[in-house]
C-alpha cells in the first residue's frame, strides 16, 4: 500500500532521514519504533507531503506520490492522526466530527460508523473538545480521520500520555479496524507490546536510519528491545 524507497529528508541543512526504506502492506500494519529524535514523526510528515524528500521516492498503491501535495494524497485515501490528540477545542465533540463529515458523499454514514466505533463520543457530543481528557481527544482524533474513509491511516504515537484503560480501548479499536479489512496502517509507537501485537512488520529507527526490521508479533519483542537499548 505505502512504500518509502531510499528516502532522505531534512530541515534546512540538517538531514533527518538517511536512505530510509519502509513499506506498509495492503490491509495490514507496519510499526515504526525508536527513541525521541530518531526521525519517526519526520517519516510521517514525508508520507503526508508536509515535507518533501530530497531524494528517494514514496509510492502509494504503486503510484509515485513523492511530489504530490497533502490534499492530493488525502484524495487518494490517506488520513493522518498527528501526535497530541489534535482537535478544535472550542467546538463540541459533535461539531468536530460534523466539520469533517459535511460535504462528503458518505459523510453522515461515516460519522455514524465512527461514533459506533467510539461510543463515548456520543455521550460527550455536547462537550467542547478542549474539555475532554487526553484519551477522549485521541478517540475523537481517530474518529475524525475515519470519517474520510481512508485506505491508509497514519498514526503518530496514538497511546502517548493516555491513561492505561483508554490505551487498551484504543489498541482494541485499531486492531478491529485492521481485521475487518480495507485499511492499511503505518503506526509510529513507543509502546513496544502494542506495536508488535498489531504489526505484521516492524522497523526500528535510530538517528534517521533503519537499524532493525523484521516480522511483527510478540515473539519479536526481545529483538526490538535489544535494538532500542543500543
Amino acid at each position: 500500500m505505502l512504500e518509502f524507497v531510499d528516502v532522505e529528508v531534512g530541515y534546512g541543512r540538517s538531514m533527518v532521514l538517511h536512505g530510509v526504506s519502509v513499506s506498509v502492506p495492503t490491509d495490514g500494519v507496519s510499526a515504526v519504533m525508536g527513541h525521541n529524535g530518531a526521525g519517526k514523526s519526520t517519516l510521517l510528515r514525508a508520507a503526508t507531503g508536509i515535507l518533501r524528500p530530497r531524494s528517494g521516492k514514496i509510492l502509494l498503491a504503486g503510484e509515485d506520490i513523492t511530489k504530490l501535495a497533502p490534499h492530493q494524497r488525502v484524495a487518494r485515501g490517506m488520513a493522518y492522526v498527528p501526535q497530541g490528540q489534535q482537535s478544535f477545542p472550542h467546538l463540541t465533540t459533535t461539531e468536530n466530527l460534523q466539520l469533517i463529515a459535511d460535504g462528503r458523499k458518505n459523510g453522515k454514514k461515516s460519522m455514524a460508523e465512527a461514533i459506533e466505533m467510539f461510543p463515548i463520543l456520543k455521550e460527550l457530543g455536547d462537550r467542547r473538545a478542549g474539555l475532554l481528557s487526553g484519551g477522549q481527544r485521541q478517540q475523537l482524533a481517530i474518529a475524525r480521520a475515519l470519517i474520510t474513509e481512508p485506505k491508509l491511516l497514519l498514526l503518530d504515537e496514538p497511546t502517548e500520555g493516555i491513561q492505561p484503560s483508554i490505551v487498551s480501548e484504543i489498541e482494541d479499536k485499531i486492531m478491529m479496524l485492521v481485521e475487518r479489512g480495507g485499511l492499511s496502517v503505518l503506526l509510529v509507537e513507543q509502546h513496544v507490546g502494542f506495536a508488535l501485537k498489531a504489526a505484521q512488520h516492524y522497523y526500528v529507527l535510530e538517528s534517521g536510519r533503519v537499524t532493525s526490521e523484521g516480522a511483527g508479533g510478540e515473539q519479536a519483542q526481545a529483538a526490538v528491545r535489544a535494538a532500542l537499548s543500543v
Side-chain angles (χ1 to χ4, degrees), residues 11-188:
Y11 299 90
R13 296 183 180 181
S14 300
M15 292 299 296
V16 178
L17 299 180
H18 306 269
V20 169
S21 293
V22 166
S23 62
V24 180
T26 299
D27 294 347
V29 182
S30 285
V32 177
M33 292 166 282
H35 298 297
N36 290 335
K40 305 185 302 298
S41 293
T42 298
L43 184 75
L44 292 185
R45 293 187 187 109
T48 62
I50 295 172
L51 293 174
R52 183 167 293 185
R54 296 184 180 179
S55 64
K57 60 184 178 179
I58 302 173
L59 306 176
L60 179 63
E63 178 188 2
D64 188 343
I65 63 168
T66 311
K67 296 182 180 180
L68 294 187
H71 72 274
Q72 294 173 307
R73 302 183 194 209
V74 170
R76 284 162 173 74
M78 183 182 292
Y80 175 41
V81 181
Q83 193 174 11
Q85 305 106 39
Q86 295 188 9
S87 62
F88 293 100
H90 298 296
L91 298 181
T92 67
T93 297
T94 298
E95 288 169 341
N96 265 274
L97 297 170
Q98 194 69 56
L99 190 66
I100 305 300
D102 283 348
R104 296 186 178 276
K105 182 178 180 181
N106 299 313
K108 185 175 181 180
K109 176 175 178 287
S110 297
M111 180 173 165
E113 290 175 348
I115 291 173
E116 183 179 359
M117 178 68 65
F118 297 104
I120 189 64
L121 299 180
K122 183 175 183 179
E123 297 177 31
L124 299 170
D126 294 330
R127 186 174 300 182
R128 286 194 301 171
L131 300 178
L132 302 179
S133 70
Q136 291 164 349
R137 286 197 305 273
Q138 186 63 282
Q139 291 177 82
L140 175 58
I142 296 173
R144 281 162 48 90
L146 293 177
I147 290 173
T148 68
E149 299 181 287
K151 297 175 183 177
L152 173 68
L153 184 62
L154 310 177
L155 296 173
D156 193 357
E157 304 281 8
T159 66
E160 182 187 35
I162 296 175
Q163 57 268 44
S165 60
I166 302 297
V167 167
S168 179
E169 184 174 352
I170 289 174
E171 291 176 355
D172 289 344
K173 299 303 184 184
I174 292 172
M175 296 289 290
M176 185 186 304
L177 286 167
V178 173
E179 288 170 1
R180 75 182 187 185
L183 181 69
S184 302
V185 178
L186 177 56
L187 172 66
V188 164

